[in-house]
Amino acid sequence: MPSAIPTPQQRTAWLQRAAALAKVPEVLAITPTALVQPVMDASAWQGWRMERCGDPGELAGRLMRSGAEVHLDLGEHRVGQIELDLGSVGKPPDSPLRLRLRLSELPAEAAEAYRPPGGVLSHAWYQDEVVTVDELPCTLRFPRRLAGRWLSLVVVAGGSWDLVVRGIRFLAVTGAAHALPPAPAGLPPRLAAIDQISLRTLRDCLQTVFEDGPKRDRRLWTGDLRLQLLANGVSFRSTALAERSLCLLAAFTRESDGAFPACCFERPEPHAAADIITDYLLALPALLRELLRQGGDRELVRSLAPLARHQIGLALGWLGADGAIVPPAGWWTFIDWKDGLDRRAPLHGVLCWALDAWLGLAATLGLDAGDDVATLARLRSAGHAAFCRTPSPSWAAAAWMVLGGVVIGDEARRLLLATLDDPAAVTPGGPYLMHHAVHALCLVGERARATALIDSYWGGMVERGADVFWEVYDPAEPRRSPYGDFRLNSACHAWSCTPSWFLRDPEAATRPS
Amino acid sequence: MPSAIPTPQQRTAWLQRAAALAKVPEVLAITPTALVQPVMDASAWQGWRMERCGDPGELAGRLMRSGAEVHLDLGEHRVGQIELDLGSVGKPPDSPLRLRLRLSELPAEAAEAYRPPGGVLSHAWYQDEVVTVDELPCTLRFPRRLAGRWLSLVVVAGGSWDLVVRGIRFLAVTGAAHALPPAPAGLPPRLAAIDQISLRTLRDCLQTVFEDGPKRDRRLWTGDLRLQLLANGVSFRSTALAERSLCLLAAFTRESDGAFPACCFERPEPHAAADIITDYLLALPALLRELLRQGGDRELVRSLAPLARHQIGLALGWLGADGAIVPPAGWWTFIDWKDGLDRRAPLHGVLCWALDAWLGLAATLGLDAGDDVATLARLRSAGHAAFCRTPSPSWAAAAWMVLGGVVIGDEARRLLLATLDDPAAVTPGGPYLMHHAVHALCLVGERARATALIDSYWGGMVERGADVFWEVYDPAEPRRSPYGDFRLNSACHAWSCTPSWFLRDPEAATRPS
């Protein structure tokens, strides 16, 4: 059997295919809807809310000197470039002008920009830019692509004349469509809101590839792509960009062992990242199965199928003496942002789910699956013995036991509910795992409870002012950040966009995806 | 007699002429000559000197993370844009990069950039810029035009990977020529150095107009233009740009009274500044006379001649009962950066000098000068009575009495030397007046003393490390600034470039110019 590790020729072909599928994002010039002011409010999310304090048209009459600051509302979260028409009144400007521009996703981010940078990620992620303008009047298009809703302008250094901001445009971009597909008729208002916010999240993450978050990391991740693809299939149907994203990732399959990458970089030229995540590489079979379901190119999927099976082969090398998986040392197993989570059972569930997806894919494509049906039965049996004798210690384990078919039928329902009702069970740290819990509930027939979970978790973000869904949401800890500074969190994050999939295609969630 | 205040048609014609004379600056890519480090040194000018610490080629091997800082020497003062080739080593960059770029004219400016901004001018004059880079590798051309010799790079926010600066180019621009005309053969080395530094100063001020200083104000001023034109005539001979500069200024003659502007703005479209300076508007006749001498367009000069005479008419309205001038209240009379200077005698000298220049111009162009010969005689006589009975109280008064022909011959020589030798006389505050003192010495036949003054004043800057001549130089007060912060001073300033005129055409300085 030939190696499934892609040859240089295959990689080149995928890169060429990715380039051919590139699409210039659609640009829409939008104008702010209000002048706002951050107001400290202990009852507001993260301690701040935005209060409307004027019409944006008032700005053109406001005279600004050094130290002047204004905040504007773009009306909704957007991704794009800021363009300003700057002028002056009074004596002609006889010095340059230095402006600080900031785009914030959340009110607290705008309000607390004065705090020194913190956290473990590069401080260049703060969308806080300074620009010097030599000539007025001018139209200044700020070069960086930014993401957020709240635009702040500060005159760092003016002169003895008055600056006037005569116009502000935000050149919004998306690889999807600017107008969101309307919520399905008959959906209760709160769920309809959740649907629209999910799709806005997807719209803003969908650029020239499926990004995880348009503020941070602005990058194509396999795990996010899989969840986005579900929501995409019931909304924007940007199949070409999904194919492009897959081709880019596939081209950067690790040469040493054929591990499918967790992410890659698109610019300035597509290039590899170093990250490999066990549960992300195992997402490839399901990604391909879903792409086929959405009418993706059959030949492309066929060319990627051996690579999908290869990932399962890698994972089969990680089995312990009991036939259950042991997360390999030195590899990153994600599952959830949760310190101390036992990832053994969840990863075993992921492997079973991946093998099941592969079998479905092989059947659709007419590929020879060899002994894989038997292998899956063996894995499920070993997983059941190892992890399903008692209620799972975590939502992660329970959800993935169900998604992997390690438990089925009424036993699956009982295991899942017992875990979700167990106050000692480890709860999800973020939306990525929450999605899998909701999906598992659908699989065991607990549709109402699944909807209630969407309503309480994603609806909780809505109550707290979200107009896109967040990377990190813990109602008990508003400033929680995996990065040491809440201002580094991404507030518009791909892996939070799946409620639309559950709400728009309830049938789909009754099978593994 | 028709009004000499330009009609709208005349203004439009001058603007069209200015546009037609515009020239794209010549671009030369240069590379730094050394890695340097600012070293605190009480014996150095302003307390800092630059010490060579490496070859610029070493930079490509230096791994930089947050906080890393490097300083480079461009080899000489230059004006232009910074272009960097940025790359990385180690894992692929997974975050943006934030860089601070600073170009400094003097070592202390580079070394003390950390001090909070001060002074009365816009802090946007500090050439301290921050840029965020989203993609690596990249070639980053920094958009602002900057001026200076010392380039500092600081990694404000890097990542967990290593930044490498693989290349640095400075895209130098000038409206003159990059190569300086060599110093005249036979000039002693110190004077040869002064000549070259003068021409470098002129080269870097000469852009799309004659600027006062390429760092600050980056603007066309009538007084600076006049001195630059002298040095230009013996070096780059950029007559077209001088004509362009004159046309721009003339187009913005004040509508209410026909006062010739002290300055105007070139960009984004030519527009008026509010400044009028009595001794600058009186420079117009001499400017035109000099332009004719350098072969400037005779018809253009003829079209401007009535405006030149109009300035004298304005000043004749400022005479007191004794027939000597009284600097008009509410107008700015410059003469020198010197608080408390009595500007009456100097301004009277300026008026006589202007009228003399007008008479020369009228004779050359065959224009009717009316009673102006008699008027000049009357003015000189009144000035002599008012200001020349005793040694002048200031270098300014003495120099302008001589330049205006208010005193002549041996009396002029005695008056000037007595003032320059009088420890109680008010000395020049800067190079603009120092030029006139040197010129007055030449006029009274004290050539050796004039050269000695060039040698001590401009040579003093050379001793202190100047490679362009400064806007402000007071050996007794290294951090002196008219703007409250020495870092706001312009170190490459047009009005300091005239030693080349004295050194290259000694004959010319024996007549008023």
Side-chain angles (χ1 to χ4, degrees):
Chain A
M1 192 171 114
S3 166
I5 300 178
T7 63
Q9 290 73 21
Q10 275 178 305
R11 295 172 193 267
T12 302
W14 284 326
L15 284 177
Q16 287 169 344
R17 181 69 176 268
L21 290 165
K23 182 185 151 187
V24 176
E26 199 180 320
V27 181
L28 178 72
I30 59 174
T31 52
T33 58
L35 286 169
V36 293
Q37 191 58 40
V39 175
M40 204 180 265
D41 180 347
S43 72
W45 181 245
Q46 298 177 330
W48 292 90
R49 64 182 164 78
M50 284 292 185
E51 194 169 271
R52 187 186 173 95
C53 62
D55 189 86
E58 293 167 21
L59 196 58
R62 189 177 291 193
L63 308 184
M64 298 172 78
R65 295 210 175 185
S66 296
E69 180 166 15
V70 290
H71 303 276
L72 293 124
D73 183 359
L74 295 181
E76 61 179 312
H77 188 281
R78 284 290 192 172
V79 179
Q81 287 178 290
I82 299 165
E83 192 172 82
L84 303 175
D85 298 324
L86 302 176
S88 64
V89 295
K91 58 179 273 206
D94 57 358
S95 64
L97 166 74
R98 194 159 286 158
L99 275 184
R100 166 162 276 136
L101 294 99
R102 194 165 53 241
L103 194 64
S104 306
E105 296 191 304
L106 291 172
E109 197 183 335
E112 297 193 12
Y114 61 84
R115 285 175 45 199
V120 297
L121 301 184
S122 171
H123 300 153
W125 285 119
Y126 296 117
Q127 296 182 136
D128 190 5
E129 310 290 330
V130 175
V131 62
T132 308
V133 177
D134 281 312
E135 298 165 16
L136 288 176
C138 74
T139 293
L140 175 72
R141 184 181 302 187
F142 196 72
R144 280 197 93 200
R145 197 200 76 183
L146 303 172
R149 173 169 174 179
W150 311 104
L151 172 61
S152 307
L153 300 179
V154 182
V155 181
V156 175
S160 52
W161 37 275
D162 290 301
L163 171 71
V164 176
V165 181
R166 300 201 194 282
I168 300 185
R169 288 172 299 284
F170 190 81
L171 305 173
V173 286
T174 176
H178 287 286
L180 307 178
L187 217 53
R190 183 168 161 119
L191 291 179
I194 290 172
D195 172 69
Q196 294 293 289
I197 295 169
S198 295
L199 294 188
R200 184 178 294 118
T201 305
L202 178 61
R203 175 195 70 190
D204 285 355
C205 291
L206 218 170
Q207 299 292 335
T208 50
V209 293
F210 284 72
E211 296 183 12
D212 59 337
K215 169 183 145 187
R216 204 218 82 242
D217 300 326
R218 307 169 64 139
R219 205 194 318 172
L220 171 58
W221 286 87
T222 304
D224 298 79
L225 171 61
R226 183 174 65 82
L227 298 194
Q228 283 167 301
L229 188 59
L230 297 177
N232 177 62
V234 295
S235 57
F236 301 108
R237 304 193 63 82
S238 303
T239 314
L241 282 182
E243 290 172 351
R244 167 174 161 77
S245 300
L246 257 176
C247 287
L248 285 171
L249 287 163
F252 298 107
T253 298
R254 189 157 66 184
E255 293 190 27
S256 59
D257 61 359
F260 195 74
C263 58
C264 72
F265 295 97
E266 185 190 4
R267 295 198 177 86
E269 293 299 324
H271 61 286
D275 308 275
I276 300 286
I277 300 178
T278 57
D279 44 328
Y280 278 19
L281 63 84
L282 286 169
L284 183 56
L287 257 170
L288 296 180
R289 181 179 57 184
E290 179 64 22
L291 190 62
L292 268 192
R293 282 182 185 154
Q294 294 185 19
D297 185 83
R298 203 175 171 90
E299 285 315 304
L300 175 64
V301 173
R302 187 185 294 275
S303 79
L304 289 161
L307 193 54
R309 177 59 182 79
H310 182 78
Q311 309 309 310
I312 291 162
L314 286 175
L316 291 174
W318 305 329
L319 301 183
D322 60 354
I325 209 162
V326 180
W331 296 60
W332 179 10
T333 297
F334 175 64
I335 304 293
D336 187 20
W337 273 135
K338 194 85 178 185
D339 291 338
L341 173 68
D342 182 346
R343 287 168 166 79
R344 196 174 175 220
L347 187 60
H348 191 84
V350 168
L351 172 56
C352 294
W353 161 81
L355 192 43
D356 182 63
W358 157 250
L359 288 169
L361 185 66
T364 308
L365 294 174
L367 302 174
D368 176 16
D371 296 334
D372 287 341
V373 170
T375 304
L376 176 55
R378 220 170 33 246
L379 282 172
R380 283 176 169 160
S381 170
H384 193 277
F387 309 121
C388 300
R389 294 283 158 82
T390 55
S392 294
S394 67
W395 288 38
W400 280 109
M401 287 296 101
V402 173
L403 290 165
V406 179
V407 276
I408 55 173
D410 198 51
E411 187 193 357
R413 188 178 156 275
R414 276 185 282 111
L415 178 92
L416 184 62
L417 295 183
T419 306
L420 268 54
D421 290 336
D422 177 3
V426 177
T427 54
Y432 183 77
L433 178 58
M434 195 60 83
H435 161 88
H436 295 108
V438 172
H439 193 185
L441 282 167
C442 295
L443 276 180
V444 302
E446 288 284 344
R447 180 77 208 173
R449 180 125 183 208
T451 304
L453 192 53
I454 290 173
D455 188 90
S456 69
Y457 190 72
W458 279 269
M461 288 191 247
V462 179
E463 283 166 25
R464 287 159 181 82
D467 77 337
V468 278
F469 287 128
W470 308 333
E471 175 192 20
V472 179
Y473 170 54
D474 182 346
E477 200 187 333
R479 293 183 176 223
R480 178 165 178 235
S481 171
Y483 319 111
D485 185 334
F486 74 94
R487 297 170 301 173
L488 293 169
N489 291 1
S490 159
C492 174
H493 215 70
W495 69 24
S496 298
C497 78
T498 54
S500 287
W501 181 64
F502 293 111
L503 297 170
R504 285 169 176 260
D505 189 1
E507 193 52 34
T510 60
R511 51 178 195 260
S513 280
Chain B
M1 193 170 112
S3 166
I5 300 179
T7 63
Q9 291 73 21
Q10 274 178 307
R11 295 172 193 267
T12 302
W14 284 326
L15 285 176
Q16 288 170 342
R17 182 68 177 269
L21 290 165
K23 182 186 152 187
V24 177
E26 199 180 321
V27 181
L28 178 71
I30 58 174
T31 52
T33 58
L35 286 169
V36 293
Q37 191 59 40
V39 175
M40 204 179 266
D41 179 346
S43 72
W45 182 245
Q46 299 177 328
W48 293 90
R49 64 183 162 78
M50 285 293 184
E51 193 168 270
R52 186 185 173 95
C53 62
D55 189 86
E58 293 167 22
L59 196 57
R62 189 175 292 191
L63 308 184
M64 298 172 77
R65 294 210 175 186
S66 296
E69 180 166 14
V70 290
H71 303 276
L72 293 124
D73 183 359
L74 296 181
E76 60 178 313
H77 188 281
R78 283 291 191 172
V79 179
Q81 288 177 290
I82 299 164
E83 193 173 81
L84 304 175
D85 298 324
L86 302 176
S88 64
V89 295
K91 58 179 273 209
D94 57 358
S95 63
L97 167 73
R98 195 159 285 158
L99 274 184
R100 166 162 276 136
L101 294 99
R102 194 164 53 240
L103 194 64
S104 306
E105 296 191 305
L106 292 173
E109 197 183 337
E112 297 193 11
Y114 61 85
R115 286 175 45 198
V120 297
L121 301 184
S122 171
H123 299 153
W125 285 118
Y126 297 117
Q127 296 183 137
D128 191 3
E129 311 290 328
V130 176
V131 63
T132 308
V133 177
D134 283 311
E135 298 164 19
L136 287 176
C138 74
T139 292
L140 175 73
R141 185 181 301 188
F142 195 73
R144 279 197 92 199
R145 197 200 76 183
L146 303 172
R149 174 169 175 179
W150 311 104
L151 172 60
S152 307
L153 300 180
V154 182
V155 181
V156 175
S160 52
W161 37 275
D162 290 302
L163 171 71
V164 175
V165 181
R166 300 201 194 282
I168 299 186
R169 288 172 299 286
F170 191 82
L171 305 173
V173 286
T174 176
H178 288 285
L180 307 179
L187 217 52
R190 181 167 163 120
L191 291 178
I194 291 173
D195 171 70
Q196 293 293 289
I197 294 169
S198 296
L199 294 188
R200 183 178 295 118
T201 305
L202 177 60
R203 176 196 70 190
D204 285 355
C205 292
L206 218 170
Q207 298 293 337
T208 51
V209 293
F210 284 72
E211 296 183 11
D212 59 337
K215 169 182 145 187
R216 204 219 80 243
D217 299 328
R218 307 168 64 138
R219 204 192 320 171
L220 171 58
W221 286 86
T222 304
D224 297 78
L225 171 61
R226 183 175 65 82
L227 298 194
Q228 282 168 302
L229 189 59
L230 298 177
N232 177 63
V234 295
S235 57
F236 301 108
R237 304 193 63 83
S238 302
T239 315
L241 282 181
E243 291 172 352
R244 168 174 161 78
S245 300
L246 256 175
C247 287
L248 286 172
L249 287 163
F252 298 107
T253 297
R254 186 156 69 184
E255 292 191 27
S256 59
D257 62 359
F260 195 74
C263 60
C264 72
F265 295 98
E266 187 190 3
R267 293 197 178 87
E269 294 299 323
H271 61 286
D275 307 277
I276 300 286
I277 300 178
T278 57
D279 45 326
Y280 278 20
L281 63 84
L282 285 169
L284 183 55
L287 257 171
L288 297 180
R289 182 179 56 185
E290 180 63 22
L291 190 61
L292 268 191
R293 282 181 185 154
Q294 293 185 19
D297 185 81
R298 202 176 171 90
E299 284 316 303
L300 175 65
V301 172
R302 187 185 293 275
S303 78
L304 288 161
L307 194 54
R309 178 59 183 78
H310 182 78
Q311 308 309 310
I312 290 162
L314 286 175
L316 291 174
W318 304 330
L319 300 183
D322 62 354
I325 209 162
V326 180
W331 296 60
W332 179 9
T333 297
F334 175 64
I335 305 294
D336 187 19
W337 274 133
K338 195 84 180 185
D339 292 338
L341 174 67
D342 182 347
R343 287 167 165 79
R344 194 173 176 222
L347 187 59
H348 191 84
V350 169
L351 172 56
C352 294
W353 163 81
L355 191 44
D356 182 63
W358 157 251
L359 288 169
L361 185 68
T364 308
L365 294 175
L367 302 174
D368 176 16
D371 296 335
D372 287 342
V373 171
T375 304
L376 177 55
R378 220 170 32 246
L379 281 172
R380 282 175 167 161
S381 171
H384 193 276
F387 308 119
C388 299
R389 294 283 158 81
T390 54
S392 294
S394 67
W395 288 39
W400 279 109
M401 287 296 101
V402 172
L403 290 165
V406 179
V407 276
I408 54 173
D410 198 51
E411 188 194 354
R413 186 177 157 277
R414 274 185 284 113
L415 177 91
L416 184 63
L417 294 184
T419 306
L420 269 55
D421 290 337
D422 178 2
V426 178
T427 53
Y432 184 77
L433 179 59
M434 196 59 83
H435 161 88
H436 295 108
V438 173
H439 192 184
L441 282 167
C442 294
L443 276 179
V444 302
E446 288 285 341
R447 180 78 209 172
R449 180 127 183 207
T451 305
L453 191 52
I454 291 172
D455 189 90
S456 70
Y457 190 71
W458 280 268
M461 288 191 247
V462 179
E463 283 166 26
R464 287 160 181 82
D467 78 336
V468 278
F469 287 128
W470 308 332
E471 175 193 21
V472 178
Y473 170 54
D474 182 345
E477 200 185 335
R479 294 185 174 222
R480 177 163 179 236
S481 171
Y483 319 111
D485 185 334
F486 75 93
R487 296 171 301 172
L488 293 168
N489 291 0
S490 160
C492 174
H493 216 70
W495 69 23
S496 297
C497 77
T498 54
S500 286
W501 180 64
F502 293 112
L503 296 171
R504 286 169 175 261
D505 189 2
E507 193 54 34
T510 61
R511 49 177 197 261
S513 278

